[in-house]
Amino acid sequence: MTGPDPDVATPSIMVDTPVGEGRLLVAGDVAGEAPTLLLGHGASGGLNAADLTAVAKRLPDAGVRVVLVQQPWKTAGRKVAAPAPTLDRAWHALYAEATRRWPGPVVVGGRSSGARVACRTADVDGAAGVVCLSFPLHPPGRPEKSRLAELLTPTIPVLVCQGSRNTFGGYDELTGHLAEQPDAANVTVVEIAGADHGMKVRKADDDPPGRAIDLVVASVREFVTAVV
């Protein structure tokens, strides 16, 4: 079983879903009916990704409860992510448990694959908004395998933080496609200059140090407080 990083999120709440046991990690609790941000991980990385960790640690100071969501396949220690329908079924159950425990407005999101799950399920679950950290527009080198339709699925406000060097579709490529879509007015894209898919910036371009992650955190904070 994959354990949580105690620095990032505690306590850990196990949740039975139709496809196995998932986990909710309370990264920063806030008293009362505070807005909750549910964030899922990607297909290759875990909840300790730099952007997830930074958002989890800093948003509670703005009155936003942050709950990190671990999919059952990851909780079970498997190496390969589950298919999309399985991920969505698990997410619905984890979302339901989160809203039962913490009443109030909910914004959903995640990084990479987690962002795709959030986009596919947000309207059905009744979320107030969607946060996408490094939305994977297509597999690297395969622009014909577009996932743009998933990003356009929500009818609620959507924030995308996208690196300019993202090989899964950089800021310019993503915004170029969105400009051609008449139903994309609800999608806001913030450029993380110089960042790759993992939100990493070359050392020579990281001026001041940590600016890319700082911009991600600030953008998510502004978006969540606006939509709730």
Side-chain angles (χ1 to χ4, degrees):
M1 180 176 292
T2 304
D5 178 348
D7 246 6
V8 174
T10 182
S12 174
I13 301 166
M14 306 306 295
V15 180
D16 286 327
T17 83
V19 295
E21 198 171 41
R23 192 194 310 258
L24 300 175
L25 305 173
V26 186
D29 206 353
V30 179
E33 291 195 9
T36 298
L37 174 60
L38 295 179
L39 291 174
H41 54 79
S44 57
L47 293 173
N48 293 324
D51 47 6
L52 292 177
T53 299
V55 170
K57 287 183 175 179
R58 300 188 210 173
L59 254 65
D61 290 342
V64 178
R65 178 185 298 107
V66 181
V67 179
L68 301 178
V69 181
Q70 191 174 71
Q71 284 276 352
W73 71 269
K74 195 73 170 178
T75 303
R78 292 192 288 273
K79 303 294 185 182
V80 180
T86 301
L87 296 175
D88 293 357
R89 290 179 67 198
W91 184 269
H92 286 309
L94 290 156
Y95 180 98
E97 178 61 20
T99 54
R100 184 187 71 81
R101 287 177 177 268
W102 302 289
V106 179
V107 175
V108 295
R111 80 161 349 268
S112 196
S113 172
R116 297 177 63 194
V117 174
C119 285
R120 293 193 300 260
T121 60
D123 279 6
V124 173
D125 284 335
V130 182
V131 170
C132 299
L133 305 177
S134 291
F135 185 85
L137 180 62
H138 56 72
R142 302 291 303 277
E144 74 279 4
K145 299 287 186 181
S146 176
R147 296 147 178 168
L148 184 63
E150 290 182 345
L151 184 59
L152 297 175
T153 298
T155 58
I156 54 179
V158 177
L159 169 71
V160 184
C161 292
Q162 200 78 353
S164 59
R165 295 193 302 118
N166 192 337
T167 56
F168 289 75
Y171 172 84
D172 288 343
E173 182 180 359
L174 178 58
T175 53
H177 284 295
L178 289 172
E180 300 171 354
Q181 303 297 320
D183 53 349
N186 62 313
V187 181
T188 299
V189 186
V190 173
E191 180 179 14
I192 312 300
D196 62 13
H197 189 64
M199 292 298 179
K200 295 179 181 178
V201 180
R202 298 184 184 101
K203 189 174 181 179
D205 298 330
D206 196 21
D207 184 21
R211 65 156 180 87
I213 295 299
D214 288 347
L215 178 56
V216 171
V217 173
S219 300
V220 174
R221 181 191 295 117
E222 180 179 358
F223 175 79
V224 173
T225 55
V227 300
V228 297

